[in-house]
Amino acid sequence: MFHVVGSMENFINEYFIDPIWSHSGYNVVNTLAYAVIAIAAVYAIYRAIQGRIKIDEKFICSVLWFVLLGSTARVVTDAVYSGVLEPVTPLHAWALDSHLYDYGYLTVSPGIYVVVAAVLLLSMAVLYSIKRMELLGYVGMLIWIPNFLLLLPFMQYWIYALPVLLLAAIPAYFTYRHFGNWIMAGVVAGHSLDGAATFIAIDVFHRFTGIFYSEQHVFSESLGILGGSFFFFYLVKVAISFAAAYLLTKEKMKTDERNYIALVLMIIGFAPGIRDVLRMIVGA
């Protein structure tokens, strides 16, 4: 009995806990485990809001504010951990003294996703109960603003965001021209942003700044190695996201269901993409 417990503890430490503290990123085991949990959570959330909340363009925009919040808060943690964030204002001093952004289980992946999802669901529950769901986006924006202000004084490498945004905007534009649907364009935009940010941060950024970044996701790293450059990863992300958008437009399903799947795909792309761009801009 004790042997089994000890083996299980070692397994959890090796594949789930140690990667967080050693910054080694994801491995096949925790990637699959997190994927299963995420799929179950996505399904459960959909069943909970199905028929209660209309999943339209306005709702998607509102949720994306919370995605922006999560990515920004994650970069604040990066900035604190790397020593980039300094007490230049009372807000910055408070953030450092509060230890709210200290590196830990709830401030890095996957914990940060759980925290932001909890904030989002709580906000939705409260606003739904008072019949003011139209305020959801404003709630996300108001919580995001202080996090953005924490990073603003340290955005010295903002110029490198321009090629990333361009590489994300081009496929998104052509997707919109093809489908005439900004939600499908958003799916491609999110994943193009993720691919472009990875490419610029790893293959380009260090050549001019001396700051090195590495890929921590198993799938992404494999594609970068296979293609000899993370530009190949970018191209694959564009192709797969466009194919996903195409399939969504062709499948016969309810509009809310289609939009919900598109929203989930957007989150998968935008969340790491925004984080990578902001982290590169502040050099954290």
Side-chain angles (χ1 to χ4, degrees):
M1 178 64 178
F2 291 109
H3 176 71
V4 173
V5 173
S7 298
M8 180 60 68
E9 183 179 346
N10 291 335
F11 177 82
I12 294 174
N13 284 330
E14 179 178 356
Y15 291 104
F16 294 92
I17 296 177
D18 288 346
I20 292 177
W21 295 106
S22 65
H23 299 268
S24 59
Y26 294 87
N27 52 65
V28 175
V29 174
N30 64 21
T31 297
L32 291 175
Y34 295 148
V36 171
I37 295 172
I39 291 172
V42 164
Y43 177 75
I45 292 171
Y46 179 70
R47 291 300 300 270
I49 67 176
Q50 186 180 18
R52 295 181 175 88
I53 298 175
K54 185 175 179 57
I55 306 173
D56 54 11
E57 296 178 357
K58 187 172 184 179
F59 176 76
I60 290 175
C61 287
S62 298
V63 172
L64 289 179
W65 277 110
F66 288 85
V67 176
L68 185 60
L69 163 65
S71 298
T72 305
R74 177 66 177 89
V75 177
V76 174
T77 297
D78 292 325
V80 171
Y81 183 83
S82 62
V84 169
L85 194 140
E86 298 178 351
V88 294
T89 69
L91 177 63
H92 292 83
W94 172 86
L96 291 169
D97 293 339
S98 69
H99 301 289
L100 185 64
Y101 297 95
D102 286 359
Y103 195 92
Y105 297 117
L106 297 180
T107 53
V108 301
S109 301
I112 188 67
Y113 287 97
V114 176
V115 171
V116 174
V119 173
L120 170 61
L121 293 175
L122 178 62
S123 301
M124 288 171 58
V126 172
L127 293 176
Y128 180 79
S129 67
I130 62 175
K131 304 185 186 314
R132 297 300 304 272
M133 278 299 297
E134 72 275 8
L135 299 178
L136 182 64
Y138 295 103
V139 173
M141 180 176 62
L142 287 174
I143 305 174
W144 166 74
I145 288 174
N147 289 274
F148 179 74
L149 292 177
L150 287 171
L151 296 178
L152 190 59
F154 309 103
M155 293 184 174
Q156 56 180 319
Y157 301 110
W158 60 268
I159 193 70
Y160 293 94
L162 298 182
V164 174
L165 296 177
L166 182 63
L167 287 171
I170 292 174
Y173 170 75
F174 283 106
T175 302
Y176 180 78
R177 289 292 301 271
H178 183 80
F179 296 111
N181 185 320
W182 85 262
I183 294 179
M184 296 303 127
V187 171
V188 175
H191 287 273
S192 298
L193 181 72
D194 183 25
T198 300
F199 162 59
I200 297 297
I202 296 178
D203 287 6
V204 179
F205 188 65
H206 72 89
R207 298 181 182 180
F208 300 95
T209 64
I211 301 174
F212 287 82
Y213 294 114
S214 61
E215 179 54 58
Q216 295 188 330
H217 291 83
V218 176
F219 174 71
S220 310
E221 183 181 24
S222 299
L223 286 177
I225 294 173
L226 179 65
S229 167
F230 279 91
F231 187 71
F232 179 66
F233 171 64
Y234 162 74
L235 294 176
V236 170
K237 291 279 280 187
V238 172
I240 291 178
S241 58
F242 185 86
Y246 175 81
L247 291 174
L248 280 176
T249 59
K250 295 300 181 181
E251 283 291 323
K252 293 182 179 180
M253 60 180 71
K254 296 179 180 178
T255 301
D256 274 11
E257 184 178 352
R258 177 183 292 108
N259 289 347
Y260 183 75
I261 295 173
L263 173 58
V264 172
L265 293 176
M266 284 188 209
I267 293 172
I268 294 173
F270 276 121
I274 294 171
R275 183 246 173 154
D276 289 346
V277 172
L278 289 176
R279 185 181 182 188
M280 182 172 59
I281 290 174
V282 300

